[in-house]
Tab-separated table of all heavy atoms in Angstrom:
chain	number	residue	atom	x	y	z
A	218	ASP	N	15.152	-2.758	3.483
A	218	ASP	CA	15.579	-2.757	2.089
A	218	ASP	C	14.943	-1.597	1.332
A	218	ASP	O	13.946	-1.014	1.754
A	218	ASP	CB	15.188	-4.077	1.418
A	218	ASP	CG	15.848	-5.280	2.079
A	218	ASP	OD1	16.991	-5.112	2.573
A	218	ASP	OD2	15.228	-6.361	2.097
A	219	GLY	N	15.510	-1.286	0.180
A	219	GLY	CA	14.940	-0.283	-0.715
A	219	GLY	C	15.193	1.134	-0.254
A	219	GLY	O	16.098	1.419	0.531
A	220	VAL	N	14.361	2.047	-0.763
A	220	VAL	CA	14.522	3.462	-0.454
A	220	VAL	C	13.677	3.833	0.760
A	220	VAL	O	12.781	3.102	1.171
A	220	VAL	CB	14.119	4.343	-1.660
A	220	VAL	CG1	15.019	4.067	-2.850
A	220	VAL	CG2	12.668	4.116	-2.035
A	221	LEU	N	13.968	4.982	1.320
A	221	LEU	CA	13.267	5.464	2.508
A	221	LEU	C	11.939	6.078	2.079
A	221	LEU	O	11.897	7.181	1.528
A	221	LEU	CB	14.135	6.507	3.213
A	221	LEU	CG	13.648	7.042	4.555
A	221	LEU	CD1	13.559	5.929	5.583
A	221	LEU	CD2	14.582	8.147	5.055
A	222	GLU	N	10.824	5.384	2.328
A	222	GLU	CA	9.516	5.885	1.908
A	222	GLU	C	8.411	5.569	2.908
A	222	GLU	O	7.399	6.269	2.955
A	222	GLU	CB	9.134	5.325	0.536
A	222	GLU	CG	9.041	3.813	0.479
A	222	GLU	CD	8.640	3.309	-0.890
A	222	GLU	OE1	8.489	4.137	-1.804
A	222	GLU	OE2	8.494	2.077	-1.051
A	223	ASN	N	8.557	4.521	3.719
A	223	ASN	CA	7.553	4.170	4.719
A	223	ASN	C	7.451	5.282	5.757
A	223	ASN	O	8.458	5.782	6.264
A	223	ASN	CB	7.943	2.840	5.377
A	223	ASN	CG	6.964	2.378	6.440
A	223	ASN	OD1	6.781	3.037	7.460
A	223	ASN	ND2	6.347	1.236	6.208
A	224	GLY	N	6.223	5.681	6.102
A	224	GLY	CA	6.025	6.789	7.026
A	224	GLY	C	6.708	6.590	8.366
A	224	GLY	O	7.301	7.521	8.922
A	225	ALA	N	6.656	5.370	8.915
A	225	ALA	CA	7.291	5.094	10.203
A	225	ALA	C	8.804	5.185	10.097
A	225	ALA	O	9.478	5.726	10.978
A	225	ALA	CB	6.873	3.714	10.708
A	226	HIS	N	9.357	4.648	9.019
A	226	HIS	CA	10.807	4.693	8.834
A	226	HIS	C	11.298	6.130	8.665
A	226	HIS	O	12.371	6.496	9.182
A	226	HIS	CB	11.196	3.864	7.606
A	226	HIS	CG	11.012	2.397	7.804
A	226	HIS	ND1	10.929	1.504	6.751
A	226	HIS	CD2	10.873	1.650	8.935
A	226	HIS	CE1	10.768	0.280	7.214
A	226	HIS	NE2	10.727	0.338	8.541
A	227	ILE	N	10.535	6.953	7.967
A	227	ILE	CA	10.928	8.355	7.787
A	227	ILE	C	10.938	9.078	9.126
A	227	ILE	O	11.847	9.865	9.412
A	227	ILE	CB	9.977	9.053	6.787
A	227	ILE	CG1	10.202	8.498	5.382
A	227	ILE	CG2	10.191	10.567	6.804
A	227	ILE	CD1	9.253	9.043	4.349
A	228	CYS	N	9.938	8.819	9.960
A	228	CYS	CA	9.893	9.460	11.278
A	228	CYS	C	11.093	9.046	12.127
A	228	CYS	O	11.750	9.882	12.756
A	228	CYS	CB	8.595	9.107	12.001
A	228	CYS	SG	7.110	9.871	11.300
A	229	ALA	N	11.381	7.754	12.159
A	229	ALA	CA	12.513	7.266	12.950
A	229	ALA	C	13.826	7.830	12.417
A	229	ALA	O	14.726	8.195	13.192
A	229	ALA	CB	12.542	5.741	12.928
A	230	TRP	N	13.952	7.912	11.101
A	230	TRP	CA	15.162	8.473	10.479
A	230	TRP	C	15.352	9.938	10.865
A	230	TRP	O	16.458	10.353	11.247
A	230	TRP	CB	15.056	8.329	8.963
A	230	TRP	CG	16.056	9.140	8.192
A	230	TRP	CD1	17.376	8.856	7.995
A	230	TRP	CD2	15.798	10.375	7.520
A	230	TRP	NE1	17.960	9.846	7.241
A	230	TRP	CE2	17.017	10.787	6.932
A	230	TRP	CE3	14.668	11.166	7.348
A	230	TRP	CZ2	17.128	11.962	6.192
A	230	TRP	CZ3	14.768	12.329	6.622
A	230	TRP	CH2	15.987	12.720	6.048
A	231	ALA	N	14.290	10.736	10.785
A	231	ALA	CA	14.408	12.154	11.111
A	231	ALA	C	14.693	12.355	12.599
A	231	ALA	O	15.513	13.204	12.974
A	231	ALA	CB	13.128	12.892	10.707
A	232	LEU	N	14.032	11.565	13.449
A	232	LEU	CA	14.253	11.695	14.894
A	232	LEU	C	15.673	11.310	15.280
A	232	LEU	O	16.189	11.772	16.309
A	232	LEU	CB	13.254	10.826	15.653
A	232	LEU	CG	11.786	11.284	15.612
A	232	LEU	CD1	10.883	10.230	16.239
A	232	LEU	CD2	11.609	12.622	16.310
A	233	SER	N	16.325	10.469	14.472
A	233	SER	CA	17.694	10.052	14.794
A	233	SER	C	18.678	11.214	14.724
A	233	SER	O	19.786	11.117	15.254
A	233	SER	CB	18.140	8.935	13.839
A	233	SER	OG	18.334	9.434	12.518
A	234	TYR	N	18.292	12.316	14.085
A	234	TYR	CA	19.156	13.488	13.982
A	234	TYR	C	18.985	14.436	15.167
A	234	TYR	O	19.667	15.454	15.236
A	234	TYR	CB	18.880	14.241	12.680
A	234	TYR	CG	19.433	13.536	11.455
A	234	TYR	CD1	18.659	12.621	10.751
A	234	TYR	CD2	20.730	13.775	11.024
A	234	TYR	CE1	19.155	11.964	9.646
A	234	TYR	CE2	21.238	13.126	9.908
A	234	TYR	CZ	20.451	12.217	9.225
A	234	TYR	OH	20.954	11.563	8.129
A	235	LEU	N	18.060	14.117	16.064
A	235	LEU	CA	17.852	14.946	17.244
A	235	LEU	C	18.633	14.388	18.428
A	235	LEU	O	18.910	13.185	18.487
A	235	LEU	CB	16.358	15.000	17.597
A	235	LEU	CG	15.426	15.632	16.556
A	235	LEU	CD1	13.980	15.501	17.026
A	235	LEU	CD2	15.774	17.087	16.323
A	236	ASP	N	18.939	15.241	19.361
A	236	ASP	CA	19.655	14.827	20.564
A	236	ASP	C	18.658	14.369	21.618
A	236	ASP	O	18.567	14.926	22.724
A	236	ASP	CB	20.515	15.986	21.084
A	236	ASP	CG	21.428	15.553	22.218
A	236	ASP	OD1	21.689	14.336	22.328
A	236	ASP	OD2	21.855	16.426	23.005
A	237	VAL	N	17.865	13.354	21.265
A	237	VAL	CA	16.850	12.803	22.161
A	237	VAL	C	16.861	11.284	22.028
A	237	VAL	O	17.371	10.726	21.053
A	237	VAL	CB	15.443	13.335	21.828
A	237	VAL	CG1	15.367	14.843	22.021
A	237	VAL	CG2	15.041	12.951	20.398
A	238	GLU	N	16.294	10.617	23.024
A	238	GLU	CA	16.157	9.169	22.968
A	238	GLU	C	14.980	8.811	22.054
A	238	GLU	O	13.935	9.464	22.087
A	238	GLU	CB	15.920	8.597	24.364
A	238	GLU	CG	17.107	8.742	25.306
A	238	GLU	CD	18.281	7.884	24.885
A	238	GLU	OE1	18.041	6.777	24.347
A	238	GLU	OE2	19.432	8.333	25.063
A	239	VAL	N	15.158	7.789	21.251
A	239	VAL	CA	14.127	7.331	20.327
A	239	VAL	C	13.900	5.833	20.552
A	239	VAL	O	14.863	5.052	20.585
A	239	VAL	CB	14.521	7.579	18.860
A	239	VAL	CG1	13.416	7.099	17.916
A	239	VAL	CG2	14.826	9.049	18.620
A	240	ASP	N	12.652	5.447	20.724
A	240	ASP	CA	12.316	4.037	20.914
A	240	ASP	C	12.162	3.391	19.540
A	240	ASP	O	11.056	3.259	19.010
A	240	ASP	CB	11.015	3.912	21.723
A	240	ASP	CG	10.762	2.487	22.198
A	240	ASP	OD1	11.314	1.554	21.587
A	240	ASP	OD2	10.011	2.318	23.177
A	241	TYR	N	13.302	2.990	18.957
A	241	TYR	CA	13.276	2.458	17.593
A	241	TYR	C	12.488	1.153	17.500
A	241	TYR	O	11.901	0.858	16.448
A	241	TYR	CB	14.710	2.240	17.096
A	241	TYR	CG	15.480	3.526	16.895
A	241	TYR	CD1	16.459	3.924	17.794
A	241	TYR	CD2	15.216	4.344	15.798
A	241	TYR	CE1	17.159	5.112	17.616
A	241	TYR	CE2	15.902	5.527	15.607
A	241	TYR	CZ	16.879	5.908	16.517
A	241	TYR	OH	17.560	7.082	16.338
A	242	GLY	N	12.463	0.381	18.583
A	242	GLY	CA	11.709	-0.862	18.559
A	242	GLY	C	10.234	-0.632	18.275
A	242	GLY	O	9.618	-1.352	17.480
A	243	ARG	N	9.673	0.374	18.912
A	243	ARG	CA	8.250	0.661	18.690
A	243	ARG	C	8.011	1.237	17.304
A	243	ARG	O	6.977	0.971	16.682
A	243	ARG	CB	7.735	1.609	19.761
A	243	ARG	CG	7.698	0.991	21.150
A	243	ARG	CD	6.765	1.747	22.064
A	243	ARG	NE	6.724	1.182	23.395
A	243	ARG	CZ	5.887	1.565	24.342
A	243	ARG	NH1	5.015	2.521	24.088
A	243	ARG	NH2	5.910	1.012	25.528
A	244	TRP	N	8.953	2.028	16.819
A	244	TRP	CA	8.795	2.555	15.464
A	244	TRP	C	8.799	1.420	14.445
A	244	TRP	O	8.017	1.423	13.494
A	244	TRP	CB	9.896	3.567	15.153
A	244	TRP	CG	9.651	4.911	15.754
A	244	TRP	CD1	10.278	5.475	16.829
A	244	TRP	CD2	8.683	5.872	15.326
A	244	TRP	NE1	9.765	6.712	17.090
A	244	TRP	CE2	8.786	6.996	16.183
A	244	TRP	CE3	7.737	5.911	14.296
A	244	TRP	CZ2	7.984	8.127	16.046
A	244	TRP	CZ3	6.933	7.027	14.153
A	244	TRP	CH2	7.052	8.124	15.018
A	245	MET	N	9.688	0.435	14.643
A	245	MET	CA	9.733	-0.678	13.703
A	245	MET	C	8.482	-1.543	13.814
A	245	MET	O	8.038	-2.139	12.833
A	245	MET	CB	10.983	-1.523	13.960
A	245	MET	CG	12.306	-0.784	13.733
A	245	MET	SD	12.430	0.062	12.128
A	245	MET	CE	12.149	1.782	12.625
A	246	SER	N	7.885	-1.610	15.017
A	246	SER	CA	6.696	-2.443	15.197
A	246	SER	C	5.480	-1.874	14.469
A	246	SER	O	4.577	-2.622	14.087
A	246	SER	CB	6.390	-2.610	16.686
A	246	SER	OG	5.949	-1.393	17.263
A	247	VAL	N	5.429	-0.550	14.300
A	247	VAL	CA	4.273	0.042	13.606
A	247	VAL	C	4.525	0.207	12.110
A	247	VAL	O	3.602	0.535	11.362
A	247	VAL	CB	3.883	1.412	14.208
A	247	VAL	CG1	3.600	1.280	15.696
A	247	VAL	CG2	4.957	2.462	13.949
A	248	ALA	N	5.769	-0.019	11.674
A	248	ALA	CA	6.085	0.158	10.251
A	248	ALA	C	5.200	-0.682	9.337
A	248	ALA	O	4.732	-0.190	8.301
A	248	ALA	CB	7.569	-0.134	10.006
A	249	PRO	N	4.916	-1.967	9.666
A	249	PRO	CA	4.020	-2.734	8.781
A	249	PRO	C	2.621	-2.140	8.702
A	249	PRO	O	1.964	-2.224	7.652
A	249	PRO	CB	3.999	-4.125	9.442
A	249	PRO	CG	5.274	-4.204	10.200
A	249	PRO	CD	5.509	-2.821	10.718
A	250	LEU	N	2.133	-1.533	9.801
A	250	LEU	CA	0.804	-0.916	9.775
A	250	LEU	C	0.776	0.322	8.890
A	250	LEU	O	-0.270	0.661	8.322
A	250	LEU	CB	0.375	-0.544	11.196
A	250	LEU	CG	0.151	-1.691	12.185
A	250	LEU	CD1	-0.157	-1.129	13.566
A	250	LEU	CD2	-0.983	-2.594	11.713
A	251	LEU	N	1.917	1.007	8.795
A	251	LEU	CA	1.980	2.250	8.028
A	251	LEU	C	2.566	2.036	6.634
A	251	LEU	O	2.935	2.997	5.970
A	251	LEU	CB	2.812	3.289	8.790
A	251	LEU	CG	2.295	3.651	10.189
A	251	LEU	CD1	3.178	4.714	10.828
A	251	LEU	CD2	0.856	4.138	10.129
A	252	GLU	N	2.642	0.774	6.201
A	252	GLU	CA	3.231	0.459	4.899
A	252	GLU	C	2.471	1.133	3.761
A	252	GLU	O	3.027	1.452	2.716
A	252	GLU	CB	3.231	-1.060	4.687
A	252	GLU	CG	3.940	-1.516	3.427
A	252	GLU	CD	5.439	-1.270	3.479
A	252	GLU	OE1	6.022	-1.393	4.567
A	252	GLU	OE2	6.019	-0.944	2.429
A	253	ARG	N	1.180	1.348	3.968
A	253	ARG	CA	0.357	1.950	2.913
A	253	ARG	C	0.558	3.459	2.797
A	253	ARG	O	0.001	4.093	1.903
A	253	ARG	CB	-1.109	1.641	3.175
A	253	ARG	CG	-1.687	2.315	4.405
A	253	ARG	CD	-3.058	1.778	4.802
A	253	ARG	NE	-2.960	0.474	5.412
A	253	ARG	CZ	-4.006	-0.195	5.905
A	253	ARG	NH1	-5.213	0.331	5.823
A	253	ARG	NH2	-3.845	-1.377	6.465
A	254	TYR	N	1.306	4.055	3.712
A	254	TYR	CA	1.601	5.485	3.656
A	254	TYR	C	3.028	5.674	3.149
A	254	TYR	O	3.995	5.451	3.882
A	254	TYR	CB	1.454	6.131	5.037
A	254	TYR	CG	0.040	6.138	5.564
A	254	TYR	CD1	-0.459	5.054	6.279
A	254	TYR	CD2	-0.798	7.231	5.345
A	254	TYR	CE1	-1.759	5.067	6.771
A	254	TYR	CE2	-2.098	7.248	5.834
A	254	TYR	CZ	-2.573	6.156	6.540
A	254	TYR	OH	-3.858	6.173	7.026
A	255	LYS	N	3.164	6.076	1.890
A	255	LYS	CA	4.480	6.242	1.268
A	255	LYS	C	4.702	7.719	0.939
A	255	LYS	O	3.807	8.398	0.431
A	255	LYS	CB	4.590	5.394	-0.003
A	255	LYS	CG	4.405	3.898	0.235
A	255	LYS	CD	4.567	3.120	-1.057
A	255	LYS	CE	4.291	1.642	-0.849
A	255	LYS	NZ	5.244	1.026	0.096
A	256	PHE	N	5.907	8.179	1.225
A	256	PHE	CA	6.259	9.573	0.990
A	256	PHE	C	7.491	9.648	0.100
A	256	PHE	O	8.315	8.731	0.071
A	256	PHE	CB	6.534	10.292	2.317
A	256	PHE	CG	5.342	10.348	3.228
A	256	PHE	CD1	5.058	9.300	4.093
A	256	PHE	CD2	4.486	11.443	3.208
A	256	PHE	CE1	3.960	9.340	4.943
A	256	PHE	CE2	3.373	11.490	4.045
A	256	PHE	CZ	3.117	10.431	4.909
A	257	ALA	N	7.616	10.762	-0.610
A	257	ALA	CA	8.764	10.981	-1.482
A	257	ALA	C	9.016	12.487	-1.575
A	257	ALA	O	8.143	13.294	-1.247
A	257	ALA	CB	8.514	10.395	-2.880
A	258	GLY	N	10.200	12.836	-2.035
A	258	GLY	CA	10.517	14.257	-2.181
A	258	GLY	C	11.938	14.540	-1.745
A	258	GLY	O	12.746	13.619	-1.562
A	259	PHE	N	12.246	15.803	-1.570
A	259	PHE	CA	13.584	16.176	-1.137
A	259	PHE	C	13.496	17.413	-0.255
A	259	PHE	O	12.544	18.190	-0.324
A	259	PHE	CB	14.495	16.450	-2.337
A	259	PHE	CG	13.995	17.525	-3.256
A	259	PHE	CD1	14.354	18.853	-3.070
A	259	PHE	CD2	13.146	17.218	-4.313
A	259	PHE	CE1	13.881	19.849	-3.905
A	259	PHE	CE2	12.670	18.215	-5.159
A	259	PHE	CZ	13.037	19.532	-4.953
A	260	ILE	N	14.495	17.569	0.596
A	260	ILE	CA	14.546	18.705	1.519
A	260	ILE	C	15.671	19.629	1.062
A	260	ILE	O	16.836	19.229	1.036
A	260	ILE	CB	14.820	18.233	2.961
A	260	ILE	CG1	13.741	17.233	3.394
A	260	ILE	CG2	14.858	19.409	3.923
A	260	ILE	CD1	14.028	16.558	4.724
A	261	ASN	N	15.320	20.840	0.692
A	261	ASN	CA	16.352	21.794	0.259
A	261	ASN	C	16.323	23.083	1.074
A	261	ASN	O	16.806	24.116	0.627
A	261	ASN	CB	16.204	22.105	-1.234
A	261	ASN	CG	14.878	22.783	-1.558
A	261	ASN	OD1	13.987	22.829	-0.722
A	261	ASN	ND2	14.756	23.282	-2.778
């Protein structure tokens, strides 16, 4: 839910644009641990 700001979610989101396999299960498992790391901004 909400906007993309959790560090783990941002990593998984960016990796999804690469032509590589991504272990999304492990990324989601560490997301609660990285909840305290929030990022914001834009890519231009």
